[in-house]
Amino acid sequence: MLRYADAPSTVEIETLTAEQEVTEPADVELYEQFLAEQQGLAEHGPALLALLDRIRDDLRQLTSNGS
């Protein structure tokens, strides 16, 4: 999300094969809402570290069972 004082807000979307720029205010607002929701769902601090530890442990268990 790009914001400049002298230009409209812009959302830049990058994929493996292309880049798209969204400048339509209604579309930019949808992206702002989506990103705010995702930020609210994200884990932070000790909760994030605990989640990453569980993922690591699960991956180790999967790879040791598959050997």
Side-chain angles (χ1 to χ4, degrees), residues 25-50:
D27 294 335
V28 170
E29 185 177 340
L30 286 173
Y31 278 97
E32 288 175 340
Q33 291 172 0
F34 172 76
L35 292 172
E37 290 172 7
Q38 295 304 304
Q39 288 173 343
L41 295 171
E43 296 286 0
H44 301 277
L48 173 59
L49 295 175

Side-chain angles (χ1 to χ4, degrees), residues 1 4 8 13-15 17 23 27 32 34 38-39 43-46 49 53 55-56 58 62 65-67:
M1 184 85 56
Y4 302 104
I13 303 162
E14 294 183 25
T15 68
T17 58
T23 58
D27 294 335
E32 288 175 340
F34 172 76
Q38 295 304 304
Q39 288 173 343
E43 296 286 0
H44 301 277
L49 295 175
D53 285 342
I55 292 169
R56 181 201 59 220
D58 287 349
L62 286 172
N65 289 340
S67 313

Side-chain angles (χ1 to χ4, degrees), residues 2 4 8 12 15 20-22 25 27-30 34 38 40 45-47 51-52 55 59-60 63-65:
L2 303 173
Y4 302 104
E12 288 189 5
T15 68
Q20 182 179 7
E21 193 171 275
V22 177
D27 294 335
V28 170
E29 185 177 340
L30 286 173
F34 172 76
Q38 295 304 304
L51 174 61
L52 292 172
I55 292 169
L59 287 172
R60 282 183 178 160
T63 56
S64 68
N65 289 340

